[in-house]
Amino acid sequence: RKNLGLLRRIICQESTKFKNVWTTHSASPIAYERGRIYLDNYQCCISSIAQEPRILYEKPKCSKSEKIEDALLLECPLGEMLPSPSDYKSSLIVLTVQNWLLRLSADSGEILEKIYLAGSCCKFRYLSWDTPQEVMVVKSAQNKLPAAARQVSIQQSVLFYLAVFQVLPLSFIGMLEINKKIFGNSVTDVAVSNGILIVMYSMGLVRLYNFQAILEQFMEQPFDLGHEFNWRGQVGVVGKYPFGLPCNIKITDTPPLLFEASSLENTFQIGGYPWHYIITPNKKKHKGVFHICSLKDNALAKNGIQDMKCCSLEPDWIYFHPDMSGRIIHVGPNLIKVLKLKEFKNNTDQMEIAEDFTIVANRENCVNNAVTVTASGRVVKKRFNLLDDDPEQETFKIVDYEDELDLLSTVAVTQIGADGKAHLDFHCNEHGILLKSIPLLESWDVTYSHEVYFDKDLVLHIEQKPNRRFSCYVYQMVCDTAKDDE
């Protein structure tokens, strides 16, 4: 902690610069995870923490059947005895198009474990954390019948499959199906997070169920990876081809409902202390309006309706602060509000939303007069007003939190013509004070997709241009020693 405090002070001092040390371009997506850059569908891994990024490993080109669909980085848990020495090093879990789950060494790409999930009955596509670095969920794409089957009115009742694993050591908890007969016909998506099964419906409804209670109530039989099984007439080895994993959690009745809410586009978040949730009323006219309510009794907090009333192409967004402080971050085109929950006067039952601090975009030179007088004296009236996120005005595009340095980072962009200028700013997470500003040298086109990662002494910018052209720019911290010596 003391070392990270020193690093924060070094980063924020005036003499410290961030230098563009490496740039690459690719025809396939570029991914970044904790000091490692992945190219060519995870076939090439580059360490970004060396003086200059260097290749850690490069695997041979793989066939389409071996294409990687999704990946998660596993870190070694602290204070636990693990069965294999390789478990103590970082590894990458990848999911292939043919339903293989592979655990690779993060430093060499070597396959450490190989698990076959299922046959052609479903296509697994997504990896996510239930509990970060502890419980992992593998989700299938939504099951859809072939057109010929739909024409003869064959009904598809299973919508999704979920396979759940404990990680390091990797162990199988169970597989379950999300069935129309149990959860209803209008299910559009499903997720598992923090022990909660989240089911989303086409009309904006979101329902929450206790996932742990589902496992305990509907688990038919536990299975261990690598062990032989005889399951409903099938004999095989758990996690081996061609049998894969048994669907051993059979939900036969609707589980007890924990909570439900109706929200526009299924947007629903839980956080804060005491527990609150954020929704948008389920009508299009309310887009950009957020209601912050108590999870205990659905009561709207005082000042709980947050509406920036911005007129912009890109909507504002809101979320609970990832620093676990219980605060809320609300980001608009030219304004970032950090909000906090506090007790309303002497009433401990009602909470009030109050501003902790705000960060405002630099728009000092922006003049938006509705009436202009020309040199000849002719009065010209504008027929429209500028949007709040007009590219020629400085606009916030990304807000992130660096947990190890306790810094709030923002990316603000101004684009005039084809030339876009962006800068990454570091703010004090407690008070919002600007501590450091770093200009990004490459031009930033607001019509492209961008990601920016700030990871201790590293800044990384990934850009997606049209026609699947990807670029990656790496900046590293350098100290101006000449000035320090003076």
Side-chain angles (χ1 to χ4, degrees):
R1 195 177 292 124
K2 185 177 277 188
N3 287 343
L4 289 168
L6 287 170
L7 180 59
R8 173 182 158 133
R9 289 175 62 187
I10 292 169
I11 281 173
C12 293
Q13 66 189 14
E14 191 179 343
S15 60
T16 301
K17 309 292 182 204
F18 276 77
K19 181 183 175 185
N20 180 216
V21 296
W22 191 77
T23 299
T24 192
H25 306 283
S26 171
S28 60
I30 300 171
Y32 174 76
E33 254 329 322
R34 290 184 178 267
R36 295 177 180 88
I37 302 166
Y38 293 97
L39 306 173
D40 300 328
N41 194 234
Y42 294 92
Q43 298 303 295
C44 178
C45 177
I46 294 166
S47 170
S48 61
I49 56 176
Q51 190 83 36
E52 185 175 312
R54 60 182 177 83
I55 292 177
L56 279 177
Y57 65 82
E58 192 165 10
K59 301 174 84 174
K61 294 283 183 186
C62 65
S63 65
K64 283 187 177 180
S65 64
E66 297 173 301
K67 179 177 176 285
I68 292 170
E69 294 283 0
D70 206 353
L72 283 179
L73 187 73
L74 303 189
E75 301 282 15
C76 166
L78 298 174
E80 288 184 31
M81 294 296 290
L82 300 173
S84 169
S86 67
D87 293 343
Y88 290 95
K89 294 186 177 179
S90 297
S91 54
L92 191 73
I93 287 272
V94 299
L95 175 62
T96 75
V97 73
Q98 296 281 37
N99 284 347
W100 284 95
L101 193 67
L102 311 177
R103 185 164 75 91
L104 312 177
S105 163
D107 294 324
S108 67
E110 174 196 357
I111 296 177
L112 304 174
E113 286 184 78
K114 195 171 181 179
I115 297 166
Y116 187 63
L117 298 173
S120 58
C121 65
C122 63
K123 295 290 182 185
F124 283 97
R125 287 290 176 269
Y126 311 102
L127 296 176
S128 63
W129 292 114
D130 171 16
T131 307
Q133 302 298 334
E134 290 182 25
V135 179
M136 176 181 69
V137 180
V138 192
K139 187 179 83 170
S140 74
Q142 186 168 347
N143 268 7
K144 289 182 180 174
L145 283 173
R150 291 197 298 271
Q151 284 175 357
V152 293
S153 300
I154 295 175
Q155 293 296 313
Q156 171 71 52
S157 61
V158 179
L159 295 167
F160 296 94
Y161 287 90
L162 301 173
V164 189
F165 293 86
Q166 190 85 31
V167 298
L168 290 178
L170 201 57
S171 58
F172 175 57
I173 295 174
M175 190 193 289
L176 65 151
E177 56 187 35
I178 302 300
N179 198 307
K180 278 183 185 179
K181 294 175 183 175
I182 303 297
F183 293 98
N185 290 325
S186 57
V187 174
T188 55
D189 205 357
V190 63
V192 178
S193 178
N194 295 295
I196 302 292
L197 175 67
I198 305 161
V199 183
M200 287 155 268
Y201 294 82
S202 57
M203 57 282 207
L205 191 67
V206 180
R207 285 180 172 155
L208 308 187
Y209 302 91
N210 185 329
F211 189 61
Q212 189 59 42
I214 289 172
L215 296 183
E216 292 169 5
Q217 182 178 352
F218 299 108
M219 172 84 73
E220 295 188 347
Q221 184 182 331
F223 290 94
D224 293 323
L225 290 173
H227 288 210
E228 286 190 7
F229 73 91
N230 188 333
W231 177 253
R232 295 178 179 167
Q234 279 192 319
V235 178
V237 178
V238 181
K240 299 291 184 186
Y241 185 84
F243 302 102
L245 304 172
C247 193
N248 60 334
I249 301 165
K250 196 75 174 175
I251 302 177
T252 53
D253 196 9
T254 308
L257 184 67
L258 286 180
F259 184 83
E260 75 174 18
S262 181
S263 182
L264 189 67
E265 297 172 351
N266 300 109
T267 54
F268 176 79
Q269 301 173 66
I270 295 179
Y273 182 80
W275 293 108
H276 277 67
Y277 64 90
I278 304 173
I279 59 166
T280 295
N282 198 7
K283 290 182 180 176
K284 285 188 178 178
K285 68 177 182 180
H286 287 132
K287 188 160 187 168
V289 178
F290 304 101
H291 287 206
I292 304 167
C293 307
S294 168
L295 192 66
K296 181 177 72 175
D297 55 10
N298 299 320
L300 183 71
K302 183 174 172 56
N303 300 327
I305 299 177
Q306 293 293 313
D307 183 6
M308 282 194 175
K309 293 185 168 61
C310 48
C311 179
S312 57
L313 291 174
E314 296 292 328
D316 51 327
W317 70 96
I318 194 167
Y319 58 100
F320 286 100
H321 199 312
D323 70 352
M324 307 303 287
S325 64
R327 293 181 297 174
I328 296 164
I329 299 177
H330 188 183
V331 185
N334 65 325
L335 188 67
I336 299 169
K337 289 184 181 180
V338 176
L339 310 168
K340 61 184 177 182
L341 286 159
K342 65 175 192 177
E343 288 182 2
F344 179 50
K345 294 179 181 176
N346 298 323
N347 183 358
T348 57
D349 288 335
Q350 189 180 15
M351 301 299 289
E352 180 181 9
I353 305 297
E355 281 189 19
D356 201 13
F357 61 82
T358 60
I359 300 170
V360 183
N362 181 14
R363 294 186 171 183
E364 292 173 3
N365 301 323
C366 174
V367 178
N368 185 20
N369 292 330
V371 177
T372 307
V373 181
T374 65
S376 63
R378 187 166 61 92
V379 176
V380 179
K381 291 185 178 181
K382 286 186 181 177
R383 300 172 77 179
F384 58 88
N385 292 322
L386 280 177
L387 291 170
D388 289 322
D389 61 349
D390 185 276
E392 295 188 6
Q393 306 176 97
E394 184 171 277
T395 303
F396 292 118
K397 293 295 180 184
I398 296 172
V399 178
D400 205 357
Y401 173 63
E402 217 297 339
D403 58 341
E404 292 178 300
L405 300 180
D406 195 31
L407 290 172
L408 198 64
S409 66
T410 66
V411 175
V413 183
T414 309
Q415 181 167 331
I416 300 174
D419 189 33
K421 293 293 181 189
H423 57 91
L424 174 68
D425 291 348
F426 301 150
H427 295 264
C428 165
N429 183 49
E430 191 175 351
H431 304 293
I433 301 162
L434 177 63
L435 302 174
K436 183 82 174 175
S437 186
I438 300 166
L440 299 180
L441 302 180
E442 63 277 4
S443 180
W444 183 300
D445 190 320
V446 295
T447 62
Y448 300 162
S449 174
H450 299 266
E451 296 171 84
V452 173
Y453 299 91
F454 168 44
D455 193 353
K456 293 194 284 288
D457 60 343
L458 177 91
V459 172
L460 189 130
H461 173 203
I462 297 173
E463 174 186 50
Q464 180 179 353
K465 298 176 183 175
N467 303 320
R468 290 182 65 79
R469 290 181 298 141
F470 299 85
S471 300
C472 177
Y473 310 90
V474 176
Y475 292 77
Q476 285 184 350
M477 181 183 78
V478 289
C479 294
D480 194 331
T481 51
K483 285 186 180 179
D484 288 349
D485 290 343
E486 287 173 9

